[in-house]
Every structure is written in structure tokens, then in C-alpha cells.
Amino acid sequence: MKKIKKGKKKKLTLKEHVSSALYLAPSFLGVMIFFFIPFLVVIFYSLIDNPISKNFVFLDNFKRVMDNAAFKMAAENTFTFSILAVPLAVLLSLLLAIMLESKIPLKSQLRTFFLSPMMVPAASIVLIWQVLFNYNGVVNQWLAPFGVEQIDWLKSEHAQIVVVLLFLWKNLGYNMILFMAALSSIPKDIIEVARLESASPFKIFMKIKIRYLSSTILFVTIMSLINSFKVFREVYLLTGKYPYNTIYMLQHYMNNTFASLDYQKLSVAAILMSLVMIVIIGILFIAENHFGKDVEG
Amino acid sequence: MKRIKKLLCTLLCISMIFACAACGKDTKEGDKDSKGSEGTGKNQGIEYVYVPSYQKIEVEKDGYISGVRMDSKKCLYGVSVYSYEEGTEENTFHLVKVDFETGEATKIPVTLDAGGYIAAMDMDSEGNIWILESIYQYDKITYETLYEGYYIVRYDEKGTELNKFNLDDLMKEQDPYNSYIQNMAIDKDGYIHLKIGDSVICVLNPDGSKKVSLTASDWVDGLGVAKDGKVYTSMYGMNGMEIRPVDAENMKFGDAYQGIGNLHGAFFAGLNYDIIYNGESALMGYNFGDKTSTSIANWLDCGISSNNIEAVAELENGDYMLFSRSYEGDREAVNLIRLVKTDKSTLPDVTEVVIGSYYASDALKEQVLKFNKENPEYKITIKEYNQNAITLEDYESAIVEFNNDIISGNVLDMVDFSSIDNVNSLVSKGALEDLTTYLEKDPQINLDDYVSNVLTSYKVDGKLISLVTSFSINTMIGKPKFVGNEAGWTIKDMVALADSVPAGTEILPYATKEMILYSMIMYSIGDFYNTETGECYFNSDNFVNLLEFANRFPMESEYNEDDESEPSKIARDALLLLTTQIWEVEEYQLYNLMFGGDMTCIGYPTTSGNGNMITSGSELLGICSKSDNKDIAWEFMKTLLQEDYQRDQWMGFPVLESVLQEKYDKAMEVIYYTDENGEKVEEPHTTWGWNGVNFEIYAATKEEIDELDALIRSLDTFAVSVYDEQVFEIIQEEATYYFEGAKSAKDVADVIQNRVFMYIQENY
């Protein structure tokens, strides 16, 4: 066997190329078949007039969808919800994690308490939320003594607040656990040194802990973004296919266009949404790279 | 060491690849997954189908067949002959045994008691014949019941009586209102099982004494013997039909076998299957071991009507024997049909045309059978999507599969619209042919021969997507003094009428808030939105007023059979309107009489034109635009316009002018009877009654026929094409808040406007 000289890259032989390719082939084929090719099919559907005649119409479908009031409303609502809910989910779960990492009583019970919403099935969540936020529900009854008029929470401008609360209630526990694990993995000696150097807790947090948490923050943000789309399931069960316009999301649009066999609109909406996601996640990766580079080496 | 690791990795990869290649269940004969249509199978590369071969069974004049039983070697049935000549009445009975190998029919002389007939029959493992004889004897002068009861009689193969048990004592223990013995089965040990009433299974010892009586928690559908020689019952469980063994030793029903699919009524012991049965669309086999149903032979593929199959047997050579009974005229047409297992490659090629349907009606299947018989070079098959659906997920999967098959364009040639609700989506995708060109180009079709305004009424976005081959009139009826003489009115007119009559006058019978709302906007909902501009007007004063009007009525209404009848209320102007569907000339006459001989079919309120709607009475078929067999599909559709099909329609008016005229002529035919004085007296065609109010419908007058005909000619709207279920769902959901007093009409209208706007814009 050849000794590899330090600093020099060994060139792979053809045989090694072939054997590498063979080992990679199953995974590669899987990704192609289940991700890449379907995406190409979606792009194809977005460029034709309908699945029957399959006439190429280039970007006409894109223009039609982007001019469509329902799509615009859905995109706006989805964006607003994500901008509101995701940072809140990250910040609040981080705060909770810090709180539960400190010396407080009933830590274990509190942890269980925050994690328990994850185990509740969607149908039960819907039932609880209906009881709470129905026009004649518990929340209105609590507010009535304070002179607040009955609010139709799910069919008014306040509907987004309800959905944000639902999202936070369901996902804080999971994010909190991720942050707790990340916090416990921060090297204690660096923090000791910082304390000895008379650094305040706030400075320790901002200068040391945040850097070590950067990859977890990125992960939690991406997961929260993904979970923010999954909240559609509960919203659909609560309000049906056509809810009040403030909680009419992109997923409603896509679900309904699928049901009405309008695969062109569905494909266009999916492509536009994925382009936006690529940009957002790209920004997040750049940010993480910047803040976390010195701790990741 | 590295070489060993490399070898290990290579072996692991190869084993993974093999594992993927081996995925999937083994195909077996008759399995739906095997290549070929349902009901075929592959065996060593040969694809098999079942080809029917008929052996007619001659039935004597006035003869009636009862008590059919078959096993793998023979068929046994009873023949009762009733003859009435010169005032005398004679009943004779005998059994017939048909040997499947030789085809010979042998008469077995068996005598029943006077007044007796076969209620059930079975054969035991020794070849003996067991008959459950139901006896009803009455005095022929006073008609007083002299005796009513059951006997079980055991005969040998030659018809010699071996045992006879009277069941009077057993029947005394049963519920007198629910004690009809419907079925009998003999297990391999000679125990007699009887199904009594809805849910009682009584087991008798071979000597006729009672062993045990079991009562099921639910209605027992069928009773039969399986391949293991034990007796099983079929009943509805939580997840559809299930089979349970009768465990007489432990005095209970055994554990349920599920996944049985469409089993209704009789099931029989198989040779390769534990049980075989008529599964509505196919001959099915079920095994208790793997709890799966297998489709053995699709009835349509075999050219057989499933309604006529009374018994099934599996033969040792793989063929199946069916006992089929139908009527030709006034005589029974009975056949033994042998399904012969045949290599498909030996059969002539046929062009297959597929109709997609959620659930095909018997009438459609009969028409397909007839077309296939008359056109052997083609074969129309029906792909039923809901056939085995039990849970909600099954139904939803069926919808997705159906839509995908239409959109993909390579599975279906025709679509049955009768039970689908996304027709508009299909039209907008260009999935369906415009039948206007077919009608125009076909030299055999002359639109003047048809009620063309109805025939071509089912249009979506200007495209004729189906032909309406029989129809009813969906209308609202009132007296001219209230609604005027001409059809067509608006929501405002209806509200004005309600405001003009004294308090307490009923607008519609048992009217509730929801019913009034529904009636007023059912066919005028399109007036509140514009799909071309994407605008909605549900927050307009018109809609708010409509909600307020509907709110005047009670939330619920309870029917009480002691209440005054609707005709009586109409007669004294206490009830103003009725909504109804008119299917027959007699119904038109009935409503005319009800409204005092002067009625206006005003129709449902709309803002434009005619509120009288066309509803289809039969299949609605469309042709898929991607079909390669459009011409054949059109030829099949044309058969629905032929005279014999039009004449056989029992629901609705035919669209063929000549047959419609025949209906009119029959309605105008005066029927007489001779009274005790020998005089001819006109007899009514039919009589209708409500709580003591009776209407006798006599021969229609020319005037009535002309009025009805004018109404039919005025129809121009097909009901389904103007009704939007999604919009109505939203309205219904939100209006409830107003009707319950939770919100104001304006708030509810605003929410409806908001939600419907999203719906309209999404589809804009």
C-alpha cells in the first residue's frame, strides 16, 4: 500500500471511482427517485396548461398565480405567521431552556409540563381549542366580566393570534429540549474563566453561550419554520377548507387546488414557496456561519 | 483485514439490492394484483379467464324453483308446480338432481305435506337431503288458519324419507312477531342450524332435539357451511361485513373474520377457498387463514348479471358452477352456468372500453352486459372505485384514485357522473369530450326525435358533457292566486308572498330556518357571486334580508302523524307551497288534484328565468378526451337512447319522443271494471292517501297532458350544474350562528362573504 505523503492529495484510480459510485448509488438513486425527479415533474406541470392536453405555456401559470388574490392573501398570511411565530418560538424556548437549566424547584415536572403538548393528538388539540376559542367558548366567558365583547376568535382579525398561540403551545417543548441539550454541552471551563474575569451573566451569554448555541439556533429556527407549515393540520380541522381570510395559508391554497385537480396552480405555488424557503435557509446558514465560525473551527 | 471489511460491505450492499428486488407479494391465481383484469390470474406464465357455458333448465309451466343447493359434484333444487284449472287447485312437488360431470338431470320424487313448501334445503356430508318444510293450512271457505308450522325432513339420495321432526315446541319459545325461519345449514357432524327471525341461531341435535339457542347482538345476514364443514354466520360488524363460526359446544359465536368485502346473503363452501360468494361485482373467495377476499371472476367480464346468481359451487377441475335465475316475460329463465377456466391467449382479441364509476348501478351493468353480448368484438368493463370501501379513508382514497385515473388519461374511456361532484374541475381541465359534435355528426341521431331541451341540458362552461336519458322535474308548486300563472319568481317575490298572508300560514310544510334558506337559494346561489369577475355579494342587503326572512321560521320541526295532512292544509290555504320532484304523469295529476285542479309549477326562486329544474333519472355518462375508443364509447352511449332502453326506464320521463308519447297515451287510457250490475265503471289508475285524505287518479285528460308537456318543453336548466355544494356548506355553517341567536345577520353575512370570496378567488 502507498504511503500518503502529508500535504499531498492521493488521486483516486478508476477502480476506486467505480467502487465509490456503486456504494453511493442506492442513496443517490433514492434521492433522485423520491426528491429530484418528482421536483422536475412539478416544474413540468407548472409550465403546461393542463395535464390532459399538456400544451407548453411557459410562465403563464406563474403570472396567473401571482396575480391571483387568493394566492396573494395566502402568501401574505403565511409570511406574517412565520415572521411572528418562528422568532417567538425560538426566543421563548431559549428562555425556557435557560430557566430550566438554572437551579429552580420542580424542574423535572416543569419539563414534563412543557413537553406534554407534543404527545396530544391533533383531534384532541382541535377539541381543546374549539372549547377555548369558540364564540361561546371559555376565553370569551373569562373576558366578559372585564367588559370585553364576545369575539369570534377564529372568524375575525384575531384568528392569527389563536393560531400563533396554538403553534407556540405545541412546539415550545420540543425546541426547549433542543436548547437544553445544547446549553449542557457548552464547555464549563470557558464560562468559569469568564466569571473569573468578572464578566456579567449577560455578557457571558451574548459573547460565549450564543456562539456555542448558533448551530442549535439555526436548527431550531429551521425546524420551527417547518413546523409552522404543519400547523395547517390543526387549522384545517378547526376551520375547514375555506377559513376566514386572515388564516387562509398557502397550505390551504395548495390543498384546495389539489382537491380541485388544478395541478398547475399547485405546482406553481409549490415552486414559489420552495424558492422563498431556499433564500431564507440560505440566509440562516450564512448567519450561522458568521456567528458560529470561531467555535466550530 | 481491510479486504475482509470490503467483502463484508459488498455483501451487505448486494443483500440490500436483492431485498428491494424481492419486495411485493407473490401473485397467485385470482389475485387482483396479478397482471390482467380482475378475475384473472397467472399460473406458470399463462393468464386465465373464466368463460361461461350455459345449460338451460326447463321449468314447467306454472312451475317455481325453490331450495337450491350445490356442491362440487351436483346441483339439487326443488320444483313446485301450481296449476289452477276449472276451479281446482293442484300442487305437485319434486326434487331435481343435476350431475355436473354427465349433465344429466334426475327427478327425485319427494312429497310435501298439504300446504307445505320448501323454506330451506341442505345436503349433509353423507349425501342425504334435508328439507325445512313450512306448512300453512287454511280452510278454503272461511280462510281460517288451520295449521302453521315447520317440519324438518331428512331424505336419502333417492328421496326416501328417513326422519321427520316437528318444530312446534321450538317455535313456541320464539318471539311470535319475529319467528320466521329463514335459513338452515347442516354441519359435518349432522347438527342442524336454523336462523330464526333477525338474530337467533338455534342448533338442533341430529335427532331433532334442541341443543342450544344463541342470540346475536346484531342482525344476522346469512348462514352457511364453510370448507371445514362447520356452520358460520355473516353479520355486520364495526368494520363492515364479518363471518363468525357458530360454536354450539361453548354456546357462543366465535371470533369474527373480517375483510370480507361485499357479502350479502348466501355464502358457500369452496375447495380452494374456505367460502365463496357473490360479491356484487365479482365471484369472490375468502380464506380464514389470511383473512383476505380474492376476486375470482368479474361478473361483467363473464357477461353475467350478478342479480341473477342464486348459488355458487367450486368444481374440482378449477371451474365454477353458478345457478342463475331471471325472468323472460312471465316465465322463469333458469340456467346452470359453468365458468370454464380458459387460457386467455386462446380467446379472440377484443377492444376493451372502461367506464369509471364510484358505484355502478344495476341498470348500467345490465346495459353493459347487453352491449357486450350484441357486440362481441368489444368489451365494456366497469371499474368501480367504491366497491370495497368501508372506512372514510377508503372512500377518500377512492376519490383520489378516480381523479388520478381521469387526469392521467390512460385508464378510463368513460366516466359515470352519477355520484361524483367535481365535474366542473374535470371540464376545466379538458378531461371530457363535448358531445355536441357527436350529436351533430351522427346520422342516426335526429334531435327532433328527442326532448332535445332536456337531452342536451347538462352543460358546463358551454360544453355538453353528458346526455340526460331520463329525467324528473324538480319544482315548487303553488296556487295561481298566490304565485301567479307563469313559472319563475324571485326571492323577493317569495318573501312578499310570506308577508302578505295571515300569520300562522305555512309557506312550506314543516318549514325550518335551514329548510327555508336552502329552498330559497338552492338554485339561485349563483346570483350572489360572479365566477367571471371573481366578485361576491353575500354582504349585500339582499342576502341579509334573506337570512332575516329564514330566521322567522322555527329551528326545528317535528313530524307528528296525527297532524293535519298537507292536502287538507292546502285545500284551506293554510299551506301555500310544496317542493317536489315529478317523475310520472300520475304524480303531476296528483298534485293538480291536491291544489284544487289548478296549480302553477312556479319553480324555485331565481333572479333569472325558470326555477324548474331537470334532475336525471338514470346514468349520466361522459367520454374522456384522452380515450382511444371514443367511437365505441359513443356507440354505447347511444344505446341509452334506444327504444327498448327508454321503455324500460322505471324512474322518470324518457327523452325519446315516441316513448314519452306512449307514456302520455297510457296515462290517458281509460280503465274500466264491470260492477255487480254488469255495467262498465271507470277505474282509477292508482290511489294516494294521507291521513284520511284520498286521491283517486283516473285517466289523464288531454288538457293535463298538454300542461305537463308544456312544462317539460319549458325546462332548460340541469339542477346539478347550478348547485355549488362548497358555497352552500359555508353558508349553512355560518348561518347556524345567526339562527341560534349568537350573531347578527350582518356579522354572519360578512363572514360568509369573507370565506366564499376566498373560494371564488381561488378558482378564478
Side-chain angles (χ1 to χ4, degrees):
Chain A
M1 187 156 162
K2 280 186 184 174
K3 245 188 178 175
I4 299 166
K5 283 189 184 167
K6 197 177 173 181
K8 269 195 176 173
K9 276 190 184 171
K10 177 180 173 276
K11 231 180 162 179
L12 293 175
T13 64
L14 178 66
K15 190 179 163 187
E16 282 168 340
H17 272 296
V18 168
S19 69
S20 307
L22 279 173
Y23 283 118
L24 282 172
S27 300
F28 181 73
L29 276 171
V31 169
M32 288 295 287
I33 291 167
F34 295 109
F35 288 95
F36 190 65
I37 291 174
F39 197 68
L40 290 179
V41 172
V42 168
I43 293 173
F44 170 70
Y45 268 126
S46 71
L47 299 174
I48 58 173
D49 60 349
N50 66 61
I52 306 291
S53 50
K54 296 190 175 93
N55 295 321
F56 185 70
V57 293
F58 199 45
L59 295 176
D60 282 359
N61 290 329
F62 284 85
K63 192 170 177 304
R64 199 157 62 101
V65 167
M66 287 169 81
D67 283 342
N68 183 269
F71 176 78
K72 285 195 258 190
M73 174 65 70
E76 187 189 322
N77 288 339
T78 307
F79 180 74
T80 311
F81 176 75
S82 299
I83 284 291
L84 205 59
V86 172
L88 274 175
V90 174
L91 280 167
L92 289 175
S93 56
L94 180 57
L95 284 170
L96 279 174
I98 291 168
M99 186 182 82
L100 287 175
E101 278 297 291
S102 58
K103 290 183 177 61
I104 55 166
L106 304 173
K107 216 182 345 186
S108 177
Q109 286 80 356
L110 280 171
R111 197 164 49 219
T112 309
F113 175 76
F114 284 115
L115 275 177
S116 50
M118 281 176 61
M119 295 174 282
V120 180
S124 308
I125 294 173
V126 164
L127 194 61
I128 294 165
W129 244 248
Q130 273 176 340
V131 168
L132 289 173
F133 291 100
N134 190 267
Y135 192 67
N136 300 312
V138 172
V139 172
N140 277 337
Q141 286 176 11
W142 282 343
L143 293 173
F146 300 102
V148 177
E149 273 188 31
Q150 264 181 307
I151 300 170
D152 196 350
W153 291 96
L154 290 166
K155 285 169 192 166
S156 65
E157 308 302 317
H158 305 93
Q160 276 241 353
I161 298 171
V162 175
V163 180
V164 169
L165 283 174
L166 172 62
F167 170 74
L168 290 174
W169 178 76
K170 204 161 183 280
N171 292 283
L172 276 182
Y174 177 67
N175 294 347
M176 177 192 78
I177 289 295
L178 293 172
F179 277 127
M180 283 174 71
L183 282 168
S184 62
S185 68
I186 297 172
K188 301 271 186 289
D189 47 355
I190 296 179
I191 295 171
E192 278 289 325
V193 168
R195 282 206 188 110
L196 288 171
E197 298 285 332
S198 308
S200 65
F202 180 75
K203 213 167 186 178
I204 291 172
F205 181 79
M206 292 306 292
K207 294 290 182 188
I208 300 173
K209 288 188 180 177
I210 282 283
R211 286 181 188 273
Y212 275 95
L213 287 175
S214 59
S215 55
T216 307
I217 290 171
L218 170 71
F219 179 73
V220 167
T221 306
I222 292 172
M223 288 307 296
S224 297
L225 193 60
I226 293 167
N227 288 333
S228 73
F229 299 131
K230 288 185 190 171
V231 82
F232 162 74
R233 182 177 50 189
E234 283 82 10
V235 175
Y236 179 80
L237 289 171
L238 270 171
T239 55
K241 290 203 290 191
Y242 294 96
Y244 201 78
N245 67 352
T246 49
I247 50 172
Y248 179 79
M249 309 286 204
L250 272 176
Q251 295 90 320
H252 285 98
Y253 182 84
M254 290 195 276
N255 188 64
N256 294 339
T257 48
F258 174 75
S260 60
L261 309 178
D262 205 334
Y263 300 147
Q264 279 54 60
K265 281 186 189 162
L266 169 63
S267 302
V268 167
I271 289 169
L272 291 174
M273 191 170 165
S274 59
L275 286 173
V276 170
M277 290 293 290
I278 288 168
V279 169
I280 292 172
I281 290 171
I283 293 170
L284 287 171
F285 267 108
I286 291 167
E288 190 273 335
N289 219 26
H290 173 75
F291 286 107
K293 62 174 185 268
D294 47 357
V295 298
E296 287 172 6
Chain B
M1 189 61 183
K2 277 194 176 168
R3 264 195 192 167
I4 294 168
K5 274 188 185 171
K6 263 192 183 173
L7 188 64
L8 215 59
C9 287
T10 312
L11 283 170
L12 274 170
C13 285
I14 292 166
S15 63
M16 273 173 62
I17 290 165
F18 272 122
C20 292
C23 268
K25 54 180 177 172
D26 295 326
T27 54
K28 55 180 191 263
E29 197 174 306
D31 195 306
K32 260 203 249 186
D33 291 332
S34 59
K35 196 180 168 185
S37 62
E38 219 173 66
T40 66
K42 265 187 178 265
N43 193 349
Q44 294 166 352
I46 301 172
E47 196 174 339
Y48 289 102
V49 293
Y50 287 94
V51 177
S53 162
Y54 291 78
Q55 178 184 346
K56 190 170 174 155
I57 292 179
E58 294 298 336
V59 182
E60 294 93 321
K61 190 173 173 292
D62 298 327
Y64 179 79
I65 288 183
S66 57
V68 179
R69 269 297 175 261
M70 298 203 294
D71 62 21
S72 60
K73 292 182 170 34
K74 61 186 178 296
C75 168
L76 192 68
Y77 60 90
V79 182
S80 304
V81 183
Y82 295 93
S83 53
Y84 305 89
E85 281 185 30
E86 295 175 1
T88 60
E89 187 183 308
E90 197 183 327
N91 302 339
T92 58
F93 178 81
H94 61 271
L95 292 176
V96 177
K97 183 179 86 173
V98 179
D99 186 295
F100 292 151
E101 206 170 330
T102 61
E104 269 178 40
T106 313
K107 220 172 178 176
I108 302 174
V110 159
T111 309
L112 296 180
D113 294 293
Y117 68 91
I118 292 185
M121 187 164 71
D122 203 0
M123 296 182 282
D124 64 22
S125 51
E126 292 166 14
N128 297 318
I129 304 163
W130 293 77
I131 288 179
L132 174 70
E133 189 184 356
S134 172
I135 297 173
Y136 178 70
Q137 293 166 347
Y138 64 97
D139 187 304
K140 286 181 182 153
I141 298 168
T142 64
Y143 295 103
E144 185 190 327
T145 302
L146 299 173
Y147 175 73
E148 197 174 358
Y150 293 94
Y151 278 89
I152 292 178
V153 192
R154 183 166 70 106
Y155 302 91
D156 67 10
E157 281 185 342
K158 293 193 173 116
T160 307
E161 186 180 303
L162 301 173
N163 299 101
K164 189 168 183 176
F165 315 120
N166 178 273
L167 299 182
D168 286 352
D169 290 337
L170 177 70
M171 298 314 290
K172 280 180 191 152
E173 297 169 13
Q174 309 304 321
D175 175 359
Y177 298 105
N178 195 9
S179 60
Y180 178 56
I181 303 181
Q182 299 178 35
N183 214 329
M184 178 177 72
I186 314 294
D187 70 15
K188 63 179 178 8
D189 298 320
Y191 289 94
I192 307 157
H193 296 67
L194 301 170
K195 180 187 166 229
I196 305 176
D198 292 342
S199 52
V200 172
I201 302 292
C202 200
V203 183
L204 306 180
N205 293 308
D207 63 6
S209 59
K210 180 180 159 184
K211 182 178 173 68
V212 71
S213 182
L214 304 173
T215 304
S217 55
D218 216 327
W219 180 56
V220 173
D221 192 53
L223 187 72
V225 180
K227 181 174 148 191
D228 57 8
K230 293 182 187 167
V231 171
Y232 292 76
T233 60
S234 59
M235 54 182 89
Y236 275 103
M238 292 288 287
N239 297 313
M241 210 60 167
E242 55 191 34
I243 294 271
R244 286 178 183 268
V246 178
D247 186 355
E249 291 307 319
N250 295 312
M251 301 203 303
K252 64 179 182 129
F253 293 99
D255 291 337
Y257 294 97
Q258 294 171 344
I260 200 87
N262 269 332
L263 165 61
H264 298 286
F267 54 91
F268 311 93
L271 294 176
N272 292 306
Y273 299 95
D274 287 310
I275 58 167
I276 52 177
Y277 57 96
N278 179 357
E280 284 186 32
S281 295
L283 171 62
M284 304 293 289
Y286 182 84
N287 280 320
F288 296 138
D290 51 18
K291 295 185 185 176
T292 50
S293 277
T294 304
S295 174
I296 301 166
N298 183 282
W299 295 129
L300 274 183
D301 286 350
C302 297
I304 295 170
S305 172
S306 64
N307 291 334
N308 301 338
I309 304 302
E310 207 165 294
V312 178
E314 187 176 357
L315 308 187
E316 282 163 1
N317 65 347
D319 293 348
Y320 289 85
M321 195 63 90
L322 315 172
F323 192 94
S324 162
R325 183 149 68 165
S326 60
Y327 272 91
E328 283 170 10
D330 58 354
R331 287 192 72 162
E332 277 199 310
V334 184
N335 285 283
L336 276 173
I337 306 174
R338 181 188 283 255
L339 295 181
V340 181
K341 196 165 141 186
T342 310
D343 180 352
K344 193 175 179 183
S345 63
T346 63
L347 298 172
D349 285 335
V350 292
T351 306
E352 194 169 316
V353 176
V354 183
I355 301 177
S357 172
Y358 277 146
Y359 193 81
S361 67
D362 288 343
L364 179 62
K365 288 177 187 173
E366 293 293 334
Q367 198 59 18
V368 164
L369 282 173
K370 193 176 166 212
F371 182 87
N372 288 341
K373 253 188 200 146
E374 291 169 2
N375 301 277
E377 67 275 28
Y378 307 128
K379 188 168 86 165
I380 296 187
T381 58
I382 300 178
K383 184 174 177 183
E384 286 185 273
Y385 291 83
N386 266 351
Q387 187 190 336
N388 295 316
I390 299 169
T391 64
L392 183 61
E393 283 83 20
D394 292 339
Y395 283 106
E396 287 172 355
S397 300
I399 293 171
V400 171
E401 188 187 351
F402 190 34
N403 287 336
N404 287 340
D405 282 351
I406 297 174
I407 292 297
S408 68
N410 58 9
V411 177
L412 300 177
D413 298 291
M414 299 178 75
V415 175
D416 174 9
F417 295 135
S418 310
S419 49
I420 62 173
D421 56 8
N422 64 339
V423 174
N424 290 5
S425 302
L426 294 176
V427 174
S428 66
K429 300 296 159 294
L432 301 168
E433 286 283 280
D434 185 347
L435 300 179
T436 314
T437 32
Y438 290 81
L439 278 176
E440 285 168 357
K441 285 184 181 164
D442 194 318
Q444 292 175 348
I445 302 271
N446 180 355
L447 282 179
D448 291 337
D449 294 338
Y450 299 92
V451 184
S452 57
N453 58 308
V454 171
L455 180 71
T456 59
S457 59
Y458 195 179
K459 287 184 177 162
V460 176
D461 295 340
K463 251 184 170 178
L464 179 64
I465 58 165
S466 184
L467 300 179
V468 179
T469 55
S470 75
F471 66 99
S472 70
I473 307 164
N474 206 0
T475 185
M476 200 180 272
I477 305 174
K479 290 181 180 175
K481 64 180 177 182
F482 294 121
V483 300
N485 289 304
E486 301 295 322
W489 61 339
T490 65
I491 293 172
K492 261 194 184 149
D493 296 332
M494 192 170 166
V495 174
L497 171 65
D499 288 340
S500 69
V501 293
T505 308
E506 277 184 71
I507 307 299
L508 284 166
Y510 303 101
T512 60
K513 295 176 201 281
E514 194 174 307
M515 189 232 245
I516 291 289
L517 180 63
Y518 184 81
S519 301
M520 293 180 87
I521 63 170
M522 187 159 71
Y523 298 119
S524 63
I525 206 164
D527 300 334
F528 292 99
Y529 61 83
N530 188 329
T531 51
E532 285 175 25
T533 60
E535 289 171 343
C536 295
Y537 318 108
F538 288 97
N539 54 357
S540 63
D541 289 340
N542 277 343
F543 189 75
V544 174
N545 293 339
L546 175 62
L547 285 174
E548 286 168 350
F549 174 71
N551 198 36
R552 294 187 205 177
F553 296 85
M555 196 70 190
E556 282 170 1
S557 183
E558 249 184 61
Y559 172 73
N560 188 338
E561 57 184 30
D562 295 328
D563 280 350
E564 185 184 2
S565 68
E566 286 160 24
S568 172
K569 288 184 199 173
I570 291 168
R572 60 181 185 85
D573 293 344
L575 173 62
L576 303 182
L577 305 166
L578 277 185
T579 55
T580 188
Q581 277 187 291
I582 299 175
W583 296 93
E584 294 288 345
V585 177
E586 285 168 2
E587 286 180 21
Y588 183 85
Q589 292 176 268
L590 167 67
Y591 290 113
N592 209 12
L593 277 177
M594 214 186 282
F595 281 84
D598 191 16
M599 72 172 182
T600 302
C601 289
I602 187 77
Y604 287 83
T606 60
T607 48
S608 50
N610 199 349
N612 289 313
M613 300 285 159
I614 304 164
T615 313
S616 175
S618 61
E619 284 60 51
L620 288 168
L621 298 176
I623 300 177
C624 297
S625 54
K626 292 294 266 187
S627 166
D628 293 330
N629 304 303
K630 290 178 199 165
D631 292 337
I632 305 165
W634 174 244
E635 288 303 313
F636 175 71
M637 277 183 81
K638 276 188 345 187
T639 63
L640 306 180
L641 301 176
Q642 286 169 353
E643 216 170 89
D644 48 358
Y645 181 85
Q646 289 283 305
R647 204 172 275 122
D648 284 345
Q649 288 301 297
W650 59 275
M651 268 192 84
F653 297 100
V655 290
L656 187 59
E657 291 277 13
S658 57
V659 178
L660 181 62
Q661 190 57 48
E662 283 174 18
K663 252 194 191 298
Y664 290 159
D665 293 340
K666 192 159 181 227
M668 288 193 288
E669 190 185 325
V670 182
I671 304 173
Y672 296 98
Y673 74 94
T674 308
D675 67 7
E676 56 269 14
N677 300 322
E679 291 198 14
K680 269 176 36 172
V681 179
E682 189 179 352
E683 188 180 5
H685 281 223
T686 185
T687 311
W688 295 70
W690 279 268
N691 287 5
V693 178
N694 293 322
F695 296 97
E696 289 179 335
I697 312 296
Y698 287 91
T701 63
K702 183 80 175 55
E703 194 185 25
E704 280 175 323
I705 295 296
D706 287 345
E707 280 173 8
L708 172 60
D709 194 68
L711 175 63
I712 288 172
R713 306 294 159 181
S714 73
L715 299 170
D716 60 13
T717 312
F718 192 69
V720 167
S721 62
V722 296
Y723 176 75
D724 194 315
E725 189 161 340
Q726 180 61 59
V727 174
F728 196 79
E729 250 178 52
I730 294 171
I731 293 172
Q732 210 168 14
E733 193 185 310
E734 297 303 331
T736 309
Y737 288 103
Y738 172 55
F739 293 151
E740 288 175 349
K743 291 185 185 179
S744 69
K746 186 73 179 73
D747 288 342
V748 160
D750 286 338
V751 173
I752 293 171
Q753 168 74 8
N754 186 291
R755 292 181 64 188
V756 175
F757 180 77
M758 297 316 305
Y759 169 71
I760 300 301
Q761 281 296 315
E762 199 182 82
N763 293 291
Y764 179 54

